[in-house]
Amino acid sequence: MHASAGVYEKMLAEARTSLKIFGELGWTVGEGAALSVIAKAQGRMRRYGEALVSAERALSMLEEAGELSDMARTMDLIAYAHHHLGRHREAIGYWRRAAELHASLGAVDKRNSHAMTALIHSLLYLAADERWAGEAGPARGTAVRAGQRLVDYLELHRAGCPPADVPAGLGVLIDELRGLVGELSRVPELTETLLRRLFALSARAQGLGGVIERLVDTETSPPHGLRAHPWVCD
């Protein structure tokens, strides 16, 4: 188990306590949120089967309450569990639903950094699971969309920084991403090489002086060596 497992054990224990309290209060939204945190901790500890059960319970409660933002993040958790269990087709459905919700909640607004980040993550893993499920054509379109959103996101940060505070290498990274998006737009299918390049560029964005939000987790490796969804794993 990872060295930081104690952190997630503590998270799990605290979320279970919250779940009990919210259950006694009859607060469905609180129960759903607590179950999502439980699923997050279980996923981070690589207990994917348990995480799936917890996240599915959470989603049912959050859907009943109409909590769209929490629903989107919980769909990501369910997709993440399926992804790690090798159930790529199941993961695809949840990544797609999550991406639609993230977009509807403000990801199309370049000022909404959090929603943009959430959408990028869902699209990156949707592209990966589509490809591994044998849908390399649709995966290419998803990868183009993810790359374009990532360019928008990085441009947002560059525009918001005083010139002296722009992270070194940000302009080069944006240009490389634009080049990759152009390349993806010209090919019929998403190849493993192109997919890895997209994830590698996303990972580089993470390391730009702490200014860019975390895009790709650097600790847990899902199938094929790609990295885990940050909302699930941070």
Side-chain angles (χ1 to χ4, degrees), residues 148-161:
Q148 289 172 333
R149 289 299 181 193
L150 185 52
V151 168
D152 289 343
Y153 178 73
L154 297 178
E155 286 281 21
L156 173 69
H157 280 275
R158 180 162 66 176
C161 288

Side-chain angles (χ1 to χ4, degrees), residues 45-224:
M45 295 161 69
R46 306 184 186 184
R47 291 155 54 176
Y48 306 119
E50 295 174 38
L52 182 59
V53 171
S54 298
E56 287 176 338
R57 286 181 60 202
L59 182 60
S60 177
M61 291 180 174
L62 294 167
E63 284 178 331
E64 180 183 342
E67 290 290 323
L68 297 182
S69 182
D70 287 340
M71 282 168 54
R73 290 193 293 266
T74 304
M75 287 173 191
D76 282 331
L77 285 165
I78 294 173
Y80 171 81
H82 281 305
H83 172 88
H84 277 279
L85 292 167
R87 301 170 183 168
H88 302 301
R89 292 199 178 279
E90 289 85 347
I92 285 170
Y94 284 100
W95 290 131
R96 285 176 179 165
R97 290 176 65 193
E100 289 170 2
L101 266 181
H102 290 313
S104 73
L105 292 167
V108 295
D109 184 347
K110 292 184 180 181
R111 294 168 298 179
N112 192 329
S113 177
H114 178 77
M116 287 177 67
T117 304
L119 176 59
I120 291 165
H121 297 320
S122 296
L123 291 174
L124 284 170
Y125 281 91
L126 172 57
D129 280 309
E130 283 175 334
R131 187 185 184 283
W132 295 331
E135 300 181 16
R140 181 203 62 84
T142 303
V144 168
R145 189 179 171 201
Q148 289 172 333
R149 289 299 181 193
L150 185 52
V151 168
D152 289 343
Y153 178 73
L154 297 178
E155 286 281 21
L156 173 69
H157 280 275
R158 180 162 66 176
C161 288
D165 294 334
V166 173
L170 179 56
V172 172
L173 177 59
I174 291 173
D175 288 342
E176 287 186 46
L177 272 164
R178 285 199 178 115
L180 177 58
V181 169
E183 190 173 346
L184 285 165
S185 299
R186 294 188 296 271
V187 298
E189 295 185 343
L190 178 64
T191 65
E192 183 78 12
T193 298
L194 290 170
L195 180 63
R196 287 185 177 278
R197 281 174 58 192
L198 181 57
F199 269 80
L201 290 172
S202 300
R204 277 174 55 190
Q206 174 185 319
L208 291 179
V211 175
I212 307 303
E213 290 181 43
R214 185 155 155 165
L215 291 170
V216 179
D217 182 71
T218 57
E219 297 177 352
T220 302
S221 297
H224 303 268

